[in-house]
Amino acid sequence: MSTQHGANPKHQFHPYAARVLDELRARVHWEKEYLQAVAEVFSTIRAVLERNPHYEGERILERLVEPERVIAFRVAWTDDRGRVQVNRGWRVQFNSALGPYKGGLRFHSSVTLSSLKFLGFEQTFKNALTGLQMGSGKGGADLSTRGLSRAEIMRFSQSFMTELYRHIGPDIDVPAGDIGVGGAEIGYLFGWYKRLTGHWEGALTGKGRHWGGSLLRPEATGYGLVYFAEEMLRTRGQGLEGKRVAVSGFGNVAWGAVKKATDLGATVVTLSGPDGYIYDPDGVKGEKIDYMLAMRASGRDRVEDYAERFGVEFHPGARPWEVPVDVALPCAIQNELSLEDAKRLVANGCTCVAEGANMPTEPDAIEYLQEQGVLFSPGKASNAGGVAVSGLEMLQNRAGAFDSEIEVDKRLRRIMATIHNDCVEAARRYGVPGDYVAGANIAAFTKVADAMLDQGVV
Ligand code: GLU
């Protein structure tokens, strides 16, 4: 059986999945991240394909790996010195079986069609797990906003939306933020959408709390991640209280995770940026958590500022996974935790790794962590809280009424507990108990595949 695809050999590929993956590799062999995401899912659904031979006849996998639509466009804009800049923008409308396309926009120099396809593919499963009415999509541009002025970011966002607006809408496709796209960018994008269409409508989520946004949306991904980690630890009779936690990144997801983990009595001892990581043995808490927002707003994209401000250690060019911790929460970017990192975490006593970013752990690192009995959750399950509260924002916009913070938090908590339960149940039903990767993939895949079957050949 084919196991040459870099995913966990514990899960053997069904011949149908192996064939579709080989065909995909032949067709888009340069799309490494996309192939990695597909291989991870395909390696875990063997038993599902065996029990449901009709999926092959209906060519569900071939359809699933082909985005419904890819929109690619030029983003020309003028910088503050009057020079013309040209970037590339995309929106990958991946799958609409469960609802309008839904997923973030990423503005980052690493953005390519391959990375957006991997993110859109992941989003298909993630959104299915939330149980809300959301299909999947992802978009963005190959521009890092680091060092740009507010005026430049606004002009760029307006140019981006000038192309995107004709493809989105509350019942069509509802983008939100992701790396490089926060509240300010969503504000500029929304303002320009409104100006171009003449409609005030919920075509974007992550809007400001005073003009149509959901309370707790900024916190939602990080809070949801910590709720999920608590659920995982509870299966072993533990909780986050008293635990030492390593967090990577210092953006939106990391911020929410630090806040909630600290609330629950954990000590978060690391943060990281492209420049290295900081080690704060007393814990990132109080005004230090607020300082994370200031660091992000500065647009400098470096975490060394934290070390200088609070007089803690800074480790240039290194990752936080060398610090002894009980729990690791990778919250930065894809492929930021390697096999070497995983070995160091385990050697230092780490027993739980929950992904806050999308696909931050490399396939061989996942395999190692699982072999070592570490609780490991894939981002598509544990970081689904962000898009879940986006889904709640869509509902609130439709109703023209807004939920209180307590209400949103309660719903978020319930959704994360349900996702956790669905993963555990699916893994148990398919003979891989405790495997959250397989559980998440199986639970989400069957939902999407069955909806696609019901809707005929589209
Ligand atoms: N970018 C986030 C994610 O990766 C949120 C997407 C959304 O809210 O639509 O799930």
Side-chain angles (χ1 to χ4, degrees), residues 342-360:
K343 285 185 174 163
R344 219 165 289 142
L345 280 171
V346 172
N348 285 331
C350 177
T351 59
C352 175
V353 178
E355 292 189 333
N358 292 311
M359 209 169 77

Side-chain angles (χ1 to χ4, degrees), residues 278-416:
I278 61 99
Y279 173 57
D280 187 345
D282 291 339
V284 182
K285 55 187 177 210
E287 60 157 334
K288 294 170 174 175
I289 299 180
D290 299 333
Y291 186 68
M292 291 174 74
L293 295 176
M295 274 199 298
R296 188 144 53 93
S298 78
R300 281 154 59 85
D301 207 13
R302 38 178 265 151
V303 81
E304 189 176 2
D305 292 354
Y306 181 104
E308 283 164 10
R309 169 85 187 241
F310 298 110
V312 300
E313 284 173 26
F314 172 64
H315 297 263
R319 292 164 166 179
W321 317 126
E322 59 195 32
V323 174
V325 288
D326 306 298
V327 175
L329 304 175
C331 296
I333 200 161
Q334 62 267 21
N335 294 328
E336 55 156 322
L337 199 161
S338 68
L339 177 59
E340 281 309 299
D341 297 324
K343 285 185 174 163
R344 219 165 289 142
L345 280 171
V346 172
N348 285 331
C350 177
T351 59
C352 175
V353 178
E355 292 189 333
N358 292 311
M359 209 169 77
T361 316
E362 293 181 14
D364 49 2
I366 298 178
E367 186 187 327
Y368 179 77
L369 292 170
Q370 291 184 324
E371 274 167 17
Q372 297 299 312
V374 171
L375 291 164
F376 175 84
S377 70
K380 59 170 82 81
S382 47
N383 78 23
V387 76
V389 173
S390 275
L392 301 182
E393 183 170 326
M394 289 163 73
L395 291 173
Q396 294 170 64
N397 287 165
R398 287 207 172 100
F402 288 89
D403 296 333
S404 69
E405 190 165 316
I406 293 173
E407 184 57 30
V408 177
D409 194 37
K410 228 194 293 170
R411 294 190 72 173
L412 170 63
R413 217 175 179 139
R414 209 179 310 133
I415 290 170
M416 297 315 295

Side-chain angles (χ1 to χ4, degrees), residues 27 30 82 114 124-125 186 213 229 364 387 408 428:
R27 198 161 57 250
W30 60 91
S114 167
T124 307
F125 299 89
I186 291 292
D364 49 2
V387 76
V408 177
R428 195 188 50 75

Side-chain angles (χ1 to χ4, degrees), residues 102-124:
K102 180 82 196 88
L105 298 171
R106 179 174 288 194
F107 291 170
H108 193 260
S109 53
S110 69
V111 165
T112 60
L113 182 55
S114 167
S115 61
L116 295 177
K117 280 174 73 179
F118 118 63
L119 289 161
F121 185 76
E122 292 278 295
Q123 201 85 43
T124 307

Side-chain angles (χ1 to χ4, degrees), residues 441-457:
N441 289 339
I442 292 167
F445 171 75
T446 45
K447 256 188 220 179
V448 178
D450 290 341
M452 288 171 73
L453 282 182
D454 288 348
Q455 293 170 24
V457 179

Side-chain angles (χ1 to χ4, degrees), residues 82-409:
R83 292 174 309 200
V84 174
Q85 302 285 344
V86 183
N87 289 93
R88 281 135 296 274
W90 294 271
R91 183 72 181 166
V92 180
Q93 296 183 328
F94 220 100
N95 194 303
S96 62
L98 297 181
Y101 307 109
K102 180 82 196 88
L105 298 171
R106 179 174 288 194
F107 291 170
H108 193 260
S109 53
S110 69
V111 165
T112 60
L113 182 55
S114 167
S115 61
L116 295 177
K117 280 174 73 179
F118 118 63
L119 289 161
F121 185 76
E122 292 278 295
Q123 201 85 43
T124 307
F125 299 89
K126 184 193 313 194
N127 294 4
L129 287 172
T130 67
L132 299 169
Q133 239 175 49
M134 295 186 291
S136 61
K138 201 84 184 191
D142 59 349
L143 169 93
S144 280
T145 49
R146 178 184 186 169
L148 296 188
S149 70
R150 295 321 299 173
E152 287 175 323
I153 293 174
M154 182 172 75
R155 285 198 296 278
F156 178 82
S157 301
Q158 292 176 342
S159 178
F160 185 87
M161 185 52 85
T162 299
E163 190 56 41
L164 187 66
Y165 87 95
R166 65 189 88 236
H167 306 290
I168 65 173
D171 297 314
I172 304 169
D173 182 353
V174 186
D178 197 81
I179 295 173
V181 178
E185 290 76 15
I186 291 292
Y188 299 142
L189 291 162
F190 184 82
W192 206 246
Y193 175 86
K194 186 167 57 98
R195 183 162 189 203
L196 290 168
T197 62
H199 288 288
W200 198 116
E201 55 190 7
L204 292 157
T205 60
K207 299 186 288 299
R209 55 189 287 160
H210 303 299
W211 49 274
S214 174
L215 292 174
L216 234 53
R217 176 62 189 85
E219 290 85 352
T221 314
Y223 278 24
L225 169 66
V226 171
Y227 293 152
F228 196 94
E230 274 272 290
E231 294 288 337
M232 291 167 85
L233 288 165
R234 196 173 302 159
T235 65
R236 295 191 180 167
Q238 301 175 18
L240 270 165
E241 179 149 24
K243 296 264 189 302
R244 276 167 60 91
V245 178
V247 167
S248 63
F250 68 93
N252 175 259
V253 181
W255 169 73
V258 172
K259 251 176 100 155
K260 186 50 74 180
T262 306
D263 274 1
L264 296 180
T267 306
V268 178
V269 293
T270 68
L271 298 174
S272 72
D275 52 337
Y277 79 89
I278 61 99
Y279 173 57
D280 187 345
D282 291 339
V284 182
K285 55 187 177 210
E287 60 157 334
K288 294 170 174 175
I289 299 180
D290 299 333
Y291 186 68
M292 291 174 74
L293 295 176
M295 274 199 298
R296 188 144 53 93
S298 78
R300 281 154 59 85
D301 207 13
R302 38 178 265 151
V303 81
E304 189 176 2
D305 292 354
Y306 181 104
E308 283 164 10
R309 169 85 187 241
F310 298 110
V312 300
E313 284 173 26
F314 172 64
H315 297 263
R319 292 164 166 179
W321 317 126
E322 59 195 32
V323 174
V325 288
D326 306 298
V327 175
L329 304 175
C331 296
I333 200 161
Q334 62 267 21
N335 294 328
E336 55 156 322
L337 199 161
S338 68
L339 177 59
E340 281 309 299
D341 297 324
K343 285 185 174 163
R344 219 165 289 142
L345 280 171
V346 172
N348 285 331
C350 177
T351 59
C352 175
V353 178
E355 292 189 333
N358 292 311
M359 209 169 77
T361 316
E362 293 181 14
D364 49 2
I366 298 178
E367 186 187 327
Y368 179 77
L369 292 170
Q370 291 184 324
E371 274 167 17
Q372 297 299 312
V374 171
L375 291 164
F376 175 84
S377 70
K380 59 170 82 81
S382 47
N383 78 23
V387 76
V389 173
S390 275
L392 301 182
E393 183 170 326
M394 289 163 73
L395 291 173
Q396 294 170 64
N397 287 165
R398 287 207 172 100
F402 288 89
D403 296 333
S404 69
E405 190 165 316
I406 293 173
E407 184 57 30
V408 177
D409 194 37

